[in-house]
Amino acid sequence: MKFAMWEITGRYAYGCLKSELGIHKFQRVLPFDTSRNLQTSLARIEVLPILDESLEFEIPQKHLEITVARNQGNRNRVETWVQVVHLPTGITVLCDQKRSPMGNQKKALAILKGKLWAIALAQGVNSIAEIQPKRIKDLSSKIIREYILHPYTKIKDLRTNVETTAATDVLNGEIDLFIKAYLQQNLLTSPSQ
């Protein structure tokens, strides 16, 4: 399993980028494949908020299981990863971005808080204590967008039916078309307040 993590800050970053939450399906011919077979790849995108320090959102210590890396005798390579498990929900976060176990533990707890907050929001509850573990659905388990790069180019968002043939632009990060369509669709379908 390969993964990458980006931390994006800016005005309304989470509100806009949550439109990318889901599975992105790529269909293409790999340039180094001499048989020219069509390859399908899936990329699961998870979008989590970075919670503000002013938000009162604490996880009781008794609900956490924290595992810190132990060096296996190799003094040249120091292991600093930390794994945090939220026992009531079973959600696990592994962090190895920082150079110290304390830094990784702080980052893992921040990611866990973001995940729990997003789940509470999806379930319509006001606190993590009200989260129902049996109702936790993987927030990013649906295919939301198809990237067809062979035999023709087309990128189609399956939720909004917006599509474009400008595959290179989209793969270079120009996704405003999809974000705006998703936000407009949610605005139209959300109940008025």
Side-chain angles (χ1 to χ4, degrees):
M1 173 175 45
K2 296 179 182 179
F3 69 93
M5 184 184 302
W6 286 279
E7 188 170 304
I8 299 171
T9 57
R11 197 168 190 192
Y12 309 119
Y14 175 69
C16 290
L17 292 175
K18 70 180 178 183
S19 67
E20 297 303 296
L21 178 75
I23 295 178
H24 297 246
K25 180 180 175 183
F26 294 83
Q27 184 175 318
R28 64 188 177 138
V29 173
L30 296 176
F32 52 83
D33 186 359
T34 56
S35 63
R36 307 291 295 161
N37 291 329
L38 193 61
Q39 301 287 322
T40 300
S41 303
L42 302 175
R44 183 173 149 219
I45 307 296
E46 199 170 289
V47 180
L48 303 171
I50 300 170
L51 299 180
D52 191 319
E53 294 292 326
S54 66
L55 187 63
E56 295 293 324
F57 187 42
E58 288 300 317
I59 303 171
Q61 193 65 34
K62 66 181 181 180
H63 291 173
L64 297 174
E65 180 181 288
I66 300 172
T67 306
V68 180
R70 304 238 186 266
N71 279 346
Q72 301 292 325
N74 185 350
R75 293 182 183 183
N76 294 330
R77 186 168 190 272
V78 178
E79 297 286 337
T80 60
W81 61 264
V82 173
Q83 177 178 291
V84 178
V85 179
H86 183 247
L87 297 172
T89 60
I91 295 172
T92 303
V93 175
L94 178 73
C95 189
D96 64 352
Q97 298 176 335
K98 306 291 182 186
R99 293 180 182 241
S100 73
M102 289 302 290
N104 281 324
Q105 181 174 331
K106 183 177 179 182
K107 187 68 175 175
L109 285 169
I111 293 169
L112 179 63
K113 284 181 179 182
K115 279 189 176 204
L116 290 171
W117 187 82
I119 289 168
L121 212 72
Q123 287 188 3
V125 296
N126 295 323
S127 71
I128 60 168
E130 296 176 51
I131 291 176
Q132 298 174 10
K134 291 180 181 175
R135 286 187 50 219
I136 293 177
K137 297 176 189 162
D138 192 357
L139 299 174
S140 57
S141 62
K142 289 183 178 178
I143 295 177
I144 64 155
R145 195 169 303 143
E146 290 180 333
Y147 300 75
I148 300 170
L149 305 176
H150 186 79
Y152 53 91
T153 59
K154 178 176 85 170
I155 299 176
K156 181 177 183 178
D157 192 291
L158 302 175
R159 301 159 302 173
T160 61
N161 290 322
V162 170
E163 57 184 70
T164 182
T165 57
T168 303
D169 294 341
V170 172
L171 293 173
N172 284 331
E174 294 180 28
I175 59 173
D176 287 350
L177 169 74
F178 299 113
I179 291 173
K180 287 177 184 175
Y182 174 82
L183 293 174
Q184 284 176 339
Q185 179 177 313
N186 280 357
L187 182 66
L188 294 174
T189 59
S190 66
S192 59
Q193 305 193 2

